[in-house]
Every structure is written in C-alpha cells, then in structure tokens.
C-alpha cells in the first residue's frame, strides 16, 4: 500500500531560526513529489515539485531535497518568519492506469513560528 | 496562474439535504480531484476524474457522487448529507504526468447539522 510518513508531527521554533521537515514514502511507481504549504482554513499551495531525476529544488527560503534511492525527502526552511506558521504537506504521486496520477498525502507537519 | 475556484467557502446544511459542491478550473486540465480533510486523518481522496464524463472512486467514495459534464467543472454531490460528512472539502486539478503540479482550490468547510 502506498504510504507517506511525515515527521515531526508538529514543531515550534523561534523566528529567524532554520528548520527541516522530513518525508518518507513508499509509493510505486513513483512519478513526482511535492511539498505544499497550507494556512489554517485555506487550501494547500504548492511550494516545490520534484521528479525522479531531481534531488534539490528551491523556492525562496524553502529548499526541498529528494533521495529517490532511500525514498526520503526533506523541506528546509531558512530564516523562518511568522508567516511560515502553517501545515506543510508532502504529496507523492504514482502513475495510475488511464493516465491520471494517484496522489498519496502525508498527514502534514504543523509548524509554529514564535516571535 | 492556474485558478481553481470552489463555489462556497462555508456551507451549513441539514441532515438529509442534497448538497452540491462545485469546482471550476480555468486551465483546461484533464485531471480533477475531490478530497476531504479531517484533523488527524490528512487529505483523503473521494473521487477523481481524468476526462469529461469519466470518474473513478477514490479511497472513501461512500455517500458521495460526482459529475463532470464539462472539462472545467467537477461537482461533488452528497445525496443525503449526514453529520459525519462535516469536513473541509478540497478540489484540485492538474495535467498529470511527471513534471506537472496540482493546484488546489481554497476549500469549502461544510457543516451538517
């Protein structure tokens, strides 16, 4: 069964500090991996998307890494800001018959940035 | 930017009512999805569609149906709403394939009383 596990479940850090969120997956056949940021009460917003051949991708202060051999990804946030407080969701895509992607979601890491 | 629009942000319905949640995307995407999101359970797939008039059951289709009569519109229908269908409902669309991402709507928070 396809699964995506995220850690930690929640994290509190001080403003200005860095942090790293982890995502381990067992999804086959792998298509791509995405990180989303979800503010409370809103829909998820895409931060990065990586395919099998990509092992790092940045979006401003967010840097995602992917190790397809060990099936692990991380999201590193640099110089955190109060607006980074949100849930961060790892989503791994597998190719389904018929062409659509099957998305498997992690349960998210709830990040709180304290002033 | 791709826009995925869900018709309502907040909805309150009575038990037994028929409920329609509408989702419209403006980028000619083939694939559209309906998820529900509950605390501690993450996002769970209800139904998806990879073409007009095509639909596939997701992980939790019971109590729901969908309609995709036009490419840009994917509707989720609760035939007879129940209190356990109180949830945040999220629609997503995308082209699919290795290099493409998916865009989510802002969500509809449905409360069934």
């Amino acid at each position: 069964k396809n699964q995506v596990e995220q850690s930690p479940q929640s994290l509190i850090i001080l403003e200005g500090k860095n942090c790293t969120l982890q995502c381990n997956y067992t999804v086959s056949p792998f298509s791509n991996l995405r990180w989303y940021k979800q503010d409370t009460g809103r829909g998820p917003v895409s931060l990065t998307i990586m395919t099998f051949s990509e092992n790092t991708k940045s979006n401003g202060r967010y840097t995602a890494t992917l190790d397809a051999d060990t099936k692990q990804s991380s999201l590193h946030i640099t110089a955190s800001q109060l607006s980074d407080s949100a849930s961060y969701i790892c989503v791994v895509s597998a190719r389904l018959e018929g062409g659509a992607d099957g998305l498997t979601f992690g349960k998210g890491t709830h990040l709180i940035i304290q002033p | 930017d791709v826009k995925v629009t869900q018709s309502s942000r907040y909805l309150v319905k009575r038990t037994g009512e028929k409920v329609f949640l509408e989702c419209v995307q403006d980028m000619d995407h083939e694939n559209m999805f309906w998820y529900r999101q509950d605390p501690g359970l993450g996002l769970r797939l209800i139904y998806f569609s990879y073409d007009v008039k095509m639909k596939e059951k997701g992980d939790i289709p019971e109590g729901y149906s969908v309609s995709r009569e036009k490419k840009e519109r994917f509707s989720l229908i609760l035939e007879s709403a129940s209190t356990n269908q109180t949830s945040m409902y999220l629609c997503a669309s995308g082209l699919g394939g290795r290099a493409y991402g998916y865009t989510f709507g802002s969500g509809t928070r449905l409360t069934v009383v």
Side-chain angles (χ1 to χ4, degrees):
Chain A
K1 184 182 177 184
N2 290 337
Q3 285 188 314
V4 176
E5 300 286 342
Q6 289 188 245
S7 61
Q9 194 172 24
S10 60
L11 183 61
I12 302 174
I13 64 171
L14 292 175
E15 186 180 8
K17 297 295 186 183
N18 304 335
C19 67
T20 300
L21 314 180
Q22 300 290 345
C23 173
N24 297 340
Y25 63 91
T26 54
V27 174
S28 180
F30 177 85
S31 179
N32 56 61
L33 183 147
R34 315 149 210 225
W35 283 93
Y36 285 88
K37 178 186 178 189
Q38 185 177 20
D39 293 314
T40 302
R42 309 291 300 189
V45 174
S46 181
L47 294 174
T48 63
I49 177 170
M50 288 183 291
T51 59
F52 186 86
S53 58
E54 297 172 298
N55 49 28
T56 187
K57 190 165 274 191
S58 292
N59 178 359
R61 293 178 297 102
Y62 300 102
T63 299
T65 64
L66 173 65
D67 186 334
D69 291 331
T70 61
K71 299 187 177 174
Q72 295 179 326
S73 176
S74 65
L75 180 70
H76 186 73
I77 304 174
T78 305
S80 61
Q81 299 176 358
L82 297 178
S83 59
D84 293 331
S85 294
S87 286
Y88 290 84
I89 303 172
C90 175
V91 183
V92 183
S93 179
R95 219 56 211 286
L96 301 176
E97 293 179 21
D101 280 356
L103 303 182
T104 303
F105 287 81
K107 292 185 179 166
T109 292
H110 186 56
L111 177 64
I112 297 173
I113 310 297
Q114 284 190 336
Chain B
D1 277 353
V2 177
K3 199 165 182 187
V4 178
T5 303
Q6 292 185 230
S7 52
S8 305
R9 285 293 313 280
Y10 299 96
L11 214 50
V12 179
K13 295 291 182 180
R14 294 193 184 279
T15 301
E17 274 194 78
K18 191 168 185 175
V19 181
F20 292 87
L21 302 183
E22 303 286 345
C23 176
V24 178
Q25 49 96 0
D26 64 359
M27 281 300 290
D28 203 34
H29 284 167
E30 296 137 356
N31 303 323
M32 297 187 75
F33 303 79
W34 274 107
Y35 295 88
R36 64 178 282 177
Q37 185 177 33
D38 301 289
L41 296 177
L43 282 92
R44 293 180 291 166
L45 180 63
I46 305 171
Y47 267 97
F48 67 97
S49 168
Y50 53 85
D51 203 351
V52 176
K53 296 194 187 292
M54 305 298 287
K55 58 186 179 184
E56 296 285 341
K57 291 180 180 179
D59 300 318
I60 51 163
E62 297 78 19
Y64 303 94
S65 62
V66 290
S67 172
R68 189 143 182 226
E69 295 297 317
K70 293 184 179 180
K71 196 172 187 179
E72 67 270 18
R73 187 180 297 269
F74 192 35
S75 303
L76 180 70
I77 303 155
L78 286 67
E79 295 290 341
S80 177
S82 63
T83 54
N84 63 14
Q85 291 178 311
T86 292
S87 186
M88 168 75 105
Y89 289 87
L90 289 159
C91 174
S93 80
L95 283 169
R98 289 178 174 271
Y100 298 106
Y102 287 83
T103 302
F104 283 84
S106 293
T108 295
R109 181 160 294 283
L110 172 68
T111 303
V112 182
V113 299

